[in-house]
Amino acid sequence: MIEALFFYMFSAVMLGAGLMVVVSRNPVFSVLFLILAFFNAAGLFVLIGAEFIAMLLVVVYVGAVAVLFLFVVMMLDINFAEMRAGFQKYLPLGLVVGGILVFELVAAIYGDAFKGASLPAMPEISNTRALGNVLYTKYMYLFQVAGLILLVAMIGAISLTMRKRPGVRRQVIAEQNARSRAESVEVVEVPVGAAARTVHTVQPSKREG
Amino acid sequence: MDLITNSYVVELALTVGKIMLVVGPLLIAVAYLTLAERRVIGFMQLRKGPNVVGPFGMFQPFADALKLMVKETILPAGANKAVFILAPMLTFILALVAWAVIPFGEGLVIADINVGILYLFAISSLGVYGVIMAGWASNSKYAFLGALRSAAQMVSYEVSMGLVIINVLICVGSLNLSAIVEAQRDVWFALPLLPMFFVFFISTLAETNRAPFDLPEGESELVAGYFVEYSSMSFALFFLGEYANMILMSGMTTVLFLGGWLPPFDIWPLNIVPGPVWFILKVMLLLFVFLWVRATTPRYRYDQLMRLGWKIFLPFSLLWVVLTSGFLLYTGNLPAVMAG
């Protein structure tokens, strides 16, 4: 009973938040509602006993990806009225895409794909272990390929942002650490009174000129 | 039906009672941590610190709380009101909910869940939202700059913290916090994983925005950073959240590296002391180091902070993951995966 209650609460808030992502005028609100939707999705995962996926959803999507979204969206200088202007123009296209997605969803639910495929019975081992067991044995190569794809994407992103600008003074810490006492400090034996004599040689009239 | 409702009600009441038992002392600890900070730093700087209100200044936190409560709550005209009010609440709530999985003693935990350490990691990675939302909603340049710094800083140090946690998990074979503590019965992980202990502690300093990584606040350049526009209780919530986070991070370090509730040696006078006492003593020791660091180190420059996180801690902790797992595999000590 309590579980059903929580299920309806999480799903209702998630659907509402999802709707608000689309309709809110301010993109920062959109991202905040997206985060709320992620959270409720995590709650749904906990309800079906998939606590590992739920935590990963929060750590990866809410804790890292959405932070970067928010980071970018907050710094954008957006004219909100201008953004709304294209609404009429894009509405038919949006409706078509949305309609196709709804059709696919309905076809999947009422079609053959889900026939007889109910939730598997709760296994004896925890789902962290169950995931690890298949991920590193049965799907080893797929897992490695996924990792490689991410690596390529990472290298691509870094190489896009790498700019070598000439004439920029940078701190090279290795160079600083490599300096020894001999080349950076010079001990000078100054005779007594020599400094005072040096000061006196500068004439006031010369300084003004 | 009556029986079911009753058992639910009883369970609910029990859980609420447990939560109160944790949150009440926690809030008092937060209040006295603010006093301890001022006193300890005072002594380190050869002055006395607040010592007038009550014996040894013991009532100072209450005087501060009263002062903050009677002050006026100011909403800046250009602020985004809903987010502005939500941000300090979020910071404070996140600092409290994480305590649900911290084990204070054998079985003394509100929720002994299988993925306890992941839950802690997830909650601590959300702390950045309070800061970002506050900085954005304030509609002020200083607050916004503080928020941007904080977002970059907290995301960066989370990566190395995650890798350090993986190091510990390889040695334990479970994500459950009680199991992590039990695995340290022979030796605390702070000894075999000493470099990781230091990396983790420094990362917690950065994660809680404490000196020498207090750039999001940076009072000498950003006035007070992300909470410059806050006053009264909304400011107090940020303040409480920051200190509760310090205690939480110390608790997390205690569980991961200092053997949680276990005594240092399993010998007679030490092992009759109850577990929670050991836990609290260890947390207090770590908190003292937090204050000590603040009194003795200057603030990092921003690019140095990023360099430390990404170019030093990240490769170093990744290397240790490889070394630890390789060593355990070679010596055949890789733990059998527990049920957790």
Side-chain angles (χ1 to χ4, degrees):
Chain A
M1 188 192 74
I2 297 274
E3 270 177 26
L5 210 69
F6 272 106
F7 171 77
Y8 285 116
M9 190 185 82
F10 284 138
S11 350
V13 175
M14 189 170 134
L15 288 177
L19 188 70
M20 290 305 289
V21 173
V22 185
V23 300
S24 21
R25 298 187 170 193
N26 193 331
V28 173
F29 283 139
S30 287
V31 179
L32 291 178
F33 277 113
L34 184 68
I35 293 161
L36 187 62
F38 280 145
F39 245 114
N40 286 282
L44 288 177
F45 274 122
V46 170
L47 281 186
I48 60 167
E51 70 265 12
F52 186 72
I53 307 268
M55 291 305 151
L56 277 199
L57 192 68
V58 176
V59 171
V60 176
Y61 284 93
V62 183
V65 175
V67 172
L68 297 182
F69 272 6
L70 204 58
F71 199 84
V72 172
V73 164
M74 279 195 321
M75 289 200 285
L76 294 178
D77 190 19
I78 300 169
N79 186 348
F80 297 126
E82 213 169 78
M83 264 183 72
R84 306 285 294 175
F87 186 71
Q88 302 271 328
K89 207 170 79 186
Y90 294 118
L91 189 61
L93 186 68
L95 283 179
V96 169
V97 173
I100 292 173
L101 284 177
V102 169
F103 174 75
E104 283 178 349
L105 212 60
V106 171
I109 291 171
Y110 291 104
D112 290 337
F114 281 100
K115 281 276 159 65
S118 60
L119 268 179
M122 254 326 141
E124 291 295 304
I125 53 175
S126 74
N127 59 66
T128 314
R129 191 177 173 185
L131 270 175
N133 273 348
V134 290
L135 206 58
Y136 296 107
T137 52
K138 200 174 163 191
Y139 300 113
M140 181 67 188
Y141 295 110
L142 290 176
F143 184 67
Q144 294 291 333
V145 169
L148 276 180
I149 292 172
L150 283 177
L151 181 68
V152 170
M154 194 174 88
I155 293 172
I158 292 173
S159 68
L160 279 179
T161 51
M162 275 273 265
R163 284 182 301 169
K164 275 264 186 293
R165 270 187 300 177
V168 180
R169 288 164 58 127
R170 275 184 200 286
Q171 181 183 23
V172 184
I173 298 204
E175 230 168 68
Q176 284 183 343
N177 286 341
R179 275 159 58 123
S180 63
R181 184 191 154 90
E183 57 185 293
S184 44
V185 184
E186 193 184 353
V187 181
V188 184
E189 195 95 21
V190 183
V192 178
R197 276 198 300 280
T198 325
V199 170
H200 278 292
T201 55
V202 180
Q203 298 298 317
S205 57
K206 274 187 185 172
R207 255 191 283 170
E208 278 165 31
Chain B
M1 187 65 208
D2 220 26
L3 196 76
I4 296 169
T5 343
N6 274 341
S7 70
Y8 272 133
V9 169
V10 167
E11 202 173 319
L12 187 72
L14 266 178
T15 311
V16 171
K18 278 190 215 164
I19 292 171
M20 288 300 157
L21 219 57
V22 172
V23 170
L26 177 67
L27 290 183
I28 294 172
V30 167
Y32 278 98
L33 180 58
T34 62
L35 178 69
E37 168 160 48
R38 294 160 76 183
R39 292 286 282 181
V40 167
I41 292 180
F43 283 127
M44 284 181 182
Q45 295 168 348
L46 297 182
R47 52 192 178 81
K48 285 192 193 308
N51 63 348
V52 176
V53 192
F56 307 108
M58 291 296 266
F59 299 142
Q60 183 70 38
F62 300 104
D64 289 339
L66 199 67
K67 181 198 76 171
L68 282 168
M69 266 186 254
V70 296
K71 280 194 166 182
E72 184 189 355
T73 307
I74 297 169
L75 284 174
N80 193 317
K81 300 229 164 31
V83 181
F84 188 81
I85 294 172
L86 200 64
M89 288 159 74
L90 187 74
T91 305
F92 188 59
I93 291 170
L94 286 175
L96 291 187
V97 291
W99 284 92
V101 295
I102 298 271
F104 293 92
E106 208 161 352
L108 287 179
V109 49
I110 297 176
D112 196 16
I113 59 175
N114 278 339
V115 288
I117 187 67
L118 270 182
Y119 173 84
L120 263 188
F121 191 56
I123 297 294
S124 74
S125 72
L126 297 182
V128 62
Y129 281 111
V131 177
I132 296 191
M133 284 161 70
W136 178 77
S138 300
N139 199 14
S140 146
K141 286 188 186 66
Y142 293 125
F144 191 57
L145 280 174
L148 289 184
R149 283 181 176 189
S150 150
Q153 169 180 335
M154 289 167 100
V155 169
S156 305
Y157 278 84
E158 247 155 46
V159 184
S160 54
M161 265 174 86
L163 284 171
V164 173
I165 290 175
I166 290 177
N167 264 303
V168 174
L169 295 183
I170 290 173
C171 300
V172 180
S174 170
L175 296 174
N176 182 297
L177 288 175
S178 302
I180 291 175
V181 173
E182 278 303 328
Q184 302 179 59
R185 206 165 264 288
D186 295 330
V187 58
W188 296 355
F189 287 144
L191 281 178
L193 296 174
L194 189 67
M196 288 298 99
F197 175 54
F198 284 120
V199 169
F200 191 80
F201 185 74
I202 295 170
S203 298
T204 58
L205 286 177
E207 193 73 6
T208 48
N209 295 330
R210 291 287 300 178
F213 307 111
D214 54 347
L215 288 119
E217 290 161 36
E219 59 277 301
S220 53
E221 56 219 78
L222 293 181
V223 196
Y226 60 92
F227 55 66
V228 64
E229 302 291 340
Y230 283 86
S231 64
S232 178
M233 274 320 278
S234 53
F235 168 77
L237 283 183
F238 269 124
F239 208 68
L240 292 176
E242 184 186 328
Y243 282 81
N245 255 331
M246 278 167 66
I247 304 180
L248 173 72
M249 285 296 170
S250 303
M252 198 166 158
T253 316
T254 306
V255 167
L256 285 176
F257 288 102
L258 297 181
W261 68 77
L262 298 173
F265 302 102
D266 201 4
I267 49 175
W268 172 67
L270 296 179
N271 58 17
I272 55 163
V273 177
V277 174
W278 282 118
F279 183 83
I280 291 167
L281 278 178
K282 289 167 189 174
V283 169
M284 279 164 67
L285 179 76
L286 285 170
L287 284 173
F288 175 76
V289 182
F290 263 78
L291 306 182
W292 186 12
V293 167
R294 179 173 167 190
T296 45
T297 54
R299 187 179 301 137
Y300 256 60
R301 212 174 59 204
Y302 199 71
D303 60 319
Q304 290 173 333
L305 173 95
M306 283 296 155
R307 177 178 172 273
L308 183 71
W310 287 106
K311 294 190 179 171
I312 298 176
F313 280 1
L314 181 60
F316 186 56
S317 46
L318 188 61
L319 178 75
W320 266 86
V321 172
V322 177
L323 283 182
T324 312
S325 45
F327 177 78
L328 289 177
L329 191 68
Y330 185 69
T331 56
N333 283 326
L334 212 58
V337 177
M338 291 183 218

